[in-house]
């Protein structure tokens, strides 16, 4: 566990509910002075001898100034979120009242909490490890069922449990290697190399699975950017409106109506897809504003995870489409060809026309034909299947980078075993692997890293 950070002994206070007018506001105190502060402010009864996990109704006063009638909840450490004495004051939701209660707490010895300081204290006091603490922030920020499910499982220790098991197995074998070094003159071998091979290969498989899960985890946490591109009047804006089921973009028969990119979010099966409607791309344009829009379209296309190239099936030949498709596939993103206005001609005529090109999805954006099928194609292009509630999914780039180092260390250990290197060198490789695992869980960390992680939390959490 890391050393305690500066200021951790202070009693802190913050508004735990969103700022603004509401029915109630919850103000949270945490620290050694929390019970003393609330006892000085709560005029209705003496709270000093009241048991933990009890609720009390009464008046809050600062000196002789009556502030509000409140509900006070008491949580004595270590059986609290932070592991310290915690008091939660539920007052009326007036911003003025909330500020008066906060100021009264400060007047009696508390200081205002920094972002994430409550969860940081929970980590410092051993209530959570670092992966669980980071999952708290992910849960607060979750806006889909998939992101909520993944964060909740990690808070409950899903990811931590996998790392803990891996760490304990490596420590156990490392101890036997270290014991061998103590008896190096007697040429004894306490650590069964065959079993260690099995352990390393199992650890490599687990690490590889965790690293592979990051691709899905990144999608769950950050969503997928989808650029809708094509020539003017191909139906890009109509498709955007149809996918969103609302008139978000202006639709006109005049070519070049969309002059800038329009971004909206579509939820498909619990995953957020950021749809980007772009200006129509045509080779010759003299309109300065349209040219800027086209340039932005090309930039969005390059940075998008998925590109929907929409074309009018009645205005393009198969040969032209093949050339465009070859050009598009030169970028590092998923390309989906979407043939629009497929309701004008017969299905057989269209299929015959483009029979030499695979994976074209025919739709009519105007008449909503083939839209559900297209959503399914978009979803499956990045998400093969949704995780179960018991799936360990890596969603944090910091974890991914550390796991890459764990993977390298495990490979070095395996190479060392193959080359029958000495126990002292093997022990160094094991320690390096343990170091990177401990970086993920927070068993090894420094103040700057912790400050950076918890600074991204909201105040009051």
């Amino acid at each position: 566990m890391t050393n305690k950070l500066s200021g951790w002994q202070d009693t802190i206070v913050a508004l735990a509910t969103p700022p603004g007018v509401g029915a109630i506001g919850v103000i949270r105190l945490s620290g050694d002075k929390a019970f003393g502060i609330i006892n000085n402010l709560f005029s209705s009864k003496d709270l000093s001898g009241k048991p933990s996990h009890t609720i009390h109704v009464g008046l809050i006063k600062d000196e002789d100034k009556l502030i509000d009638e409140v509900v006070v909840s008491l949580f004595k450490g270590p059986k609290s979120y932070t592991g310290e004495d915690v008091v939660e004051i539920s007052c009326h939701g007036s911003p003025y009242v909330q500020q008066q209660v906060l100021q009264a707490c400060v007047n009696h010895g508390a200081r205002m909490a920094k972002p994430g300081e409550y969860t940081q204290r929970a980590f410092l006091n051993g209530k959570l490890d670092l992966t669980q603490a980071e999952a708290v922030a992910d849960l607060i920020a979750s806006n889909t069922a998939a992101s909520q499910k993944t964060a909740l499982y990690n808070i409950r220790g899903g990811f931590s449990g996998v790392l803990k098991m891996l760490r304990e197995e490596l420590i156990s074998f490392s101890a036997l290697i270290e014991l061998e070094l103590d008896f190096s003159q007697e040429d004894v071998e306490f650590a069964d190399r065959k079993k260690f091979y099995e352990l390393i290969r199992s650890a490599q498989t687990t690490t590889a699975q965790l690293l592979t899960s990051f691709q899905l985890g990144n999608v769950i946490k950050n969503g997928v950017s989808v650029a809708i591109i094509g020539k003017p009047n191909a139906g890009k804006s109509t498709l955007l409106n149809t996918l969103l089921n609302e008139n978000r973009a202006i639709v006109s028969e005049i070519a070049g109506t969309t002059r800038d990119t329009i971004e909206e979010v579509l939820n498909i099966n619990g995953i957020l897809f950021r749809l980007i409607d772009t200006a129509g791309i045509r080779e010759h344009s003299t309109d300065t504003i349209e040219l800027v829009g086209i340039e932005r379209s090309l930039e969005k296309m390059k940075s998008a995870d998925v590109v929907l190239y929409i074309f009018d099936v009645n205005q393009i030949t198969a040969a032209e489409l093949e050339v465009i498709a070859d050009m598009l596939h030169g970028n590092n993103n998923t390309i989906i060809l979407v043939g629009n206005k497929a309701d004008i001609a017969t299905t057989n005529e269209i299929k015959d026309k483009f029979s030499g090109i695979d994976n074209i999805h025919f739709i009519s954006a105007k008449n909503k034909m083939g839209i559900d099928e297209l959503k399914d194609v978009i979803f499956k292009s990045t998400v093969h299947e949704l995780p179960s509630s018991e799936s360990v999914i890596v969603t944090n780039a910091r974890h991914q980078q550390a796991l890459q180092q764990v993977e390298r260390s495990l490979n070095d250990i395996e190479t060392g075993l193959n080359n029958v290197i000495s126990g002292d060198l093997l022990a160094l490789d094991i320690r390096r692997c343990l170091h990177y695992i401990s970086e993920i869980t927070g068993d090894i960390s420094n103040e700057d890293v912790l400050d950076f992680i918890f600074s991204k939390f909201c105040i009051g959490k």
Side-chain angles (χ1 to χ4, degrees):
M1 179 60 63
T2 182
N3 292 326
K4 300 293 187 180
L5 305 185
S6 57
W8 73 276
Q9 290 181 314
D10 298 341
T11 296
I12 54 175
V13 65
L15 181 67
T17 46
V21 178
I24 62 169
V26 177
I27 291 161
R28 180 179 288 159
L29 277 160
S30 181
D32 292 343
K33 297 179 182 177
F35 283 17
I37 290 171
I38 191 60
N39 208 40
N40 288 332
L41 298 175
F42 196 73
S43 62
S44 300
K45 66 174 85 166
D46 182 2
L47 297 177
S48 59
K50 299 300 179 183
S52 180
H53 294 72
T54 57
I55 296 175
H56 308 273
V57 180
L59 301 175
I60 284 275
K61 287 184 178 181
D62 188 7
E63 304 298 342
D64 295 327
K65 180 182 177 183
L66 178 63
I67 299 175
D68 194 13
E69 184 175 28
V70 302
V71 176
V72 173
S73 305
L74 305 178
F75 306 92
K76 291 186 178 180
K79 294 184 178 181
S80 70
Y81 178 68
T82 63
E84 304 171 332
D85 289 344
V86 172
V87 174
E88 290 186 352
I89 306 166
S90 299
C91 63
H92 289 93
S94 155
Y96 177 78
V97 169
Q98 294 169 16
Q99 186 56 45
Q100 291 299 302
V101 176
L102 285 168
Q103 188 58 54
C105 292
V106 171
N107 291 345
H108 286 263
R111 69 163 170 83
M112 296 300 295
K114 296 180 289 187
E117 193 166 2
Y118 292 96
T119 306
Q120 188 174 29
R121 290 187 175 204
F123 163 69
L124 292 172
N125 290 320
K127 304 293 287 186
L128 304 167
D129 70 16
L130 200 52
T131 61
Q132 292 172 299
E134 288 170 297
V136 170
D138 289 344
L139 184 60
I140 292 170
S142 65
N143 49 13
T144 66
S147 58
Q148 176 260 352
K149 188 187 299 180
T150 302
L152 194 58
Y153 184 59
N154 286 340
I155 286 175
R156 289 163 48 212
F159 185 29
S160 301
V162 173
L163 295 174
K164 182 181 178 182
M165 184 170 60
L166 177 59
R167 184 171 180 268
E168 286 177 351
E169 288 175 338
L170 285 170
I171 287 174
S172 176
F173 195 86
S174 179
L176 294 176
I177 293 287
E178 300 280 357
L179 188 60
E180 285 181 4
L181 297 177
D182 292 338
F183 291 87
S184 58
Q185 300 299 321
E186 300 179 30
D187 194 27
V188 293
E189 189 174 276
F190 294 102
D192 186 332
R193 297 303 196 264
K194 184 179 178 181
K195 287 187 178 179
F196 194 44
Y197 260 117
E198 294 173 359
L199 167 61
I200 293 303
R201 284 168 184 159
S202 174
Q204 287 171 323
T205 300
T206 300
T207 305
Q209 289 171 344
L210 290 172
L211 283 169
T212 301
S213 76
F214 179 70
Q215 183 177 0
L216 175 58
N218 193 45
V219 165
I220 290 172
K221 185 174 182 178
N222 300 314
V224 181
S225 59
V226 181
I228 305 174
I229 69 167
K231 293 182 178 181
N233 262 11
K236 298 181 299 299
S237 296
T238 304
L239 176 59
L240 177 71
N241 290 339
T242 302
L243 288 169
L244 296 172
N245 204 27
E246 63 175 275
N247 292 324
R248 176 63 180 85
I250 298 172
V251 177
S252 169
E253 294 182 1
I254 302 170
T257 304
T258 303
R259 301 300 185 91
D260 202 350
T261 58
I262 300 172
E263 298 192 21
E264 287 293 335
V265 175
L266 175 67
N267 188 325
I268 306 177
N269 299 332
I271 302 295
L272 295 185
F273 291 83
R274 299 189 306 279
L275 303 178
I276 309 163
D277 180 22
T278 64
I281 299 172
R282 51 179 167 179
E283 295 178 4
H284 304 291
S285 174
T286 56
D287 189 310
T288 304
I289 297 175
E290 185 181 358
L291 286 171
V292 172
I294 292 171
E295 186 177 336
R296 290 183 180 178
S297 297
L298 294 172
E299 290 175 0
K300 290 292 184 181
M301 182 191 75
K302 291 176 183 176
S303 62
D305 299 310
V306 177
V307 173
L308 297 184
Y309 181 77
I310 184 168
F311 60 93
D312 185 338
V313 296
N314 308 288
Q315 299 294 324
I316 191 172
T317 66
E320 289 173 327
L321 182 59
E322 280 189 294
V323 172
I324 292 169
D326 288 341
M327 291 172 57
L328 291 173
H329 281 103
N331 292 308
N332 294 322
N333 38 34
T334 300
I335 308 298
I336 299 174
L337 301 178
V338 183
N340 191 28
K341 305 183 183 179
D343 57 321
I344 297 176
T346 66
T347 304
N348 288 335
E349 286 176 340
I350 294 168
K351 287 184 177 180
D352 288 343
K353 182 177 180 179
F354 300 101
S355 60
I357 305 174
D358 295 329
N359 299 320
I360 301 177
H361 306 280
F362 298 105
I363 66 164
S364 170
K366 184 178 180 180
N367 294 327
K368 300 184 179 180
M369 181 186 88
I371 297 302
D372 288 340
E373 292 80 0
L374 179 59
K375 286 182 181 179
D376 190 50
V377 169
I378 294 170
F379 178 81
K380 288 181 178 177
S381 70
T382 51
V383 184
H384 300 294
E385 61 178 345
L386 287 171
S388 70
S389 58
E390 301 300 311
S391 297
V392 178
I393 305 293
V394 177
T395 61
N396 191 304
R398 186 184 74 83
H399 300 165
Q400 183 215 20
Q401 291 165 6
L403 283 168
Q404 287 172 337
Q405 295 294 338
V406 170
E407 186 176 53
R408 292 190 189 100
S409 300
L410 289 170
N411 291 339
D412 289 342
I413 293 170
E414 183 182 31
T415 301
L417 286 170
N418 291 335
N419 294 331
V420 197
I421 65 172
S422 62
D424 54 342
L425 295 177
L426 199 58
L428 285 173
D429 288 335
I430 297 171
R431 284 194 209 108
R432 183 157 56 92
C433 189
L434 288 168
H435 172 86
Y436 290 117
I437 294 173
S438 298
E439 271 194 353
I440 300 173
T441 59
D443 292 298
I444 297 174
S445 55
N446 61 58
E447 187 166 344
D448 290 337
V449 170
L450 294 180
D451 284 344
F452 173 75
I453 290 170
F454 290 104
S455 68
K456 294 183 286 184
F457 282 58
C458 53
I459 292 175
K461 193 62 181 177

